[in-house]
Amino acid sequence: MILFKNKEDSLKVWLSLFLVVGSVVGTLFCNRMTGEMKQELLIFGQSSVTKTMLAGVDRYELLLQILPRRVWVLILMMLAAATPLAQWCMRFVSGYIGFSNAVLICALTMESGVRGLLRYFLLVFPQCICYIPVGYLLLWWMPVKEKRFTLFSVLFLFGLVCVGSLLESFINPWFLTWF
């Protein structure tokens, strides 16, 4: 077992390790797929992107689909952060983020080549401006500083998720129409 000078270094290494391992596993998963599985992944990627790329998409309906999903993820992460197994839960979350993003990037680059990286950026922008701080606060800052949830912190996190959902519903589809 690796010994670290402080809790901050230990958490950085473990979260980074699980993120990298998740990314490598996701990349290997995509590269080891059969041709049929790759085709299905491409079709899934195309359909998920084109649903929001449609010019006639109702933004309010999209918000009503996105907001509950993002709030549930936040609630699950907050509950996981409050358990005795919080460090392992957050490591799993870090690995899952690495895996899912690697699969998404692989699917987009299989379809569009290097342009797939730009498409990935357009899929996560501008909502990532809100979601990344939420992940940072829950996965790293609160455990290192040994902060507990207060009413202000919970409202702040929910506020960031709501703003991110608004950006994902109203601004992101506009960016996706560029491509």
Side-chain angles (χ1 to χ4, degrees), residues 106-163:
C106 285
L108 292 172
T109 55
M110 281 191 294
E111 179 185 341
S112 304
V114 175
R115 285 184 53 198
L117 298 175
L118 179 61
R119 290 183 67 195
Y120 172 77
F121 176 75
L122 290 175
L123 277 173
V124 298
F125 186 81
Q127 64 269 21
C128 66
I129 295 169
C130 294
Y131 296 153
I132 289 174
V134 169
Y136 168 77
L137 290 171
L138 285 172
L139 293 173
W140 188 77
W141 187 79
M142 288 183 75
V144 166
K145 302 297 181 183
E146 296 179 354
K147 299 289 183 180
R148 299 205 180 266
F149 291 112
T150 63
L151 180 62
F152 175 75
S153 67
V154 170
L155 291 176
F156 181 72
L157 292 171
F158 273 102
L160 278 175
V161 167
C162 289
V163 171

Side-chain angles (χ1 to χ4, degrees), residues 33-145:
M33 287 182 173
T34 63
E36 182 180 316
M37 289 173 65
K38 287 180 182 178
Q39 189 63 31
E40 288 183 29
L41 183 62
L42 286 173
I43 291 169
F44 174 73
Q46 290 170 343
S47 67
S48 66
V49 173
T50 55
K51 285 179 185 174
T52 57
M53 288 179 63
L54 299 173
V57 71
D58 182 14
R59 305 290 201 261
Y60 293 104
E61 184 178 322
L62 190 59
L63 177 65
L64 292 176
Q65 291 176 3
I66 290 172
L67 184 61
R69 291 179 185 167
R70 301 302 179 251
V71 168
W72 274 114
V73 169
L74 176 64
I75 290 170
L76 288 175
M77 284 182 66
M78 288 172 57
L79 289 174
T83 66
L85 298 173
Q87 288 185 353
W88 285 103
C89 291
M90 294 309 157
R91 291 173 189 168
F92 174 78
V93 168
S94 180
Y96 174 76
I97 289 169
F99 178 84
S100 61
N101 280 307
V103 170
L104 180 59
I105 289 170
C106 285
L108 292 172
T109 55
M110 281 191 294
E111 179 185 341
S112 304
V114 175
R115 285 184 53 198
L117 298 175
L118 179 61
R119 290 183 67 195
Y120 172 77
F121 176 75
L122 290 175
L123 277 173
V124 298
F125 186 81
Q127 64 269 21
C128 66
I129 295 169
C130 294
Y131 296 153
I132 289 174
V134 169
Y136 168 77
L137 290 171
L138 285 172
L139 293 173
W140 188 77
W141 187 79
M142 288 183 75
V144 166
K145 302 297 181 183

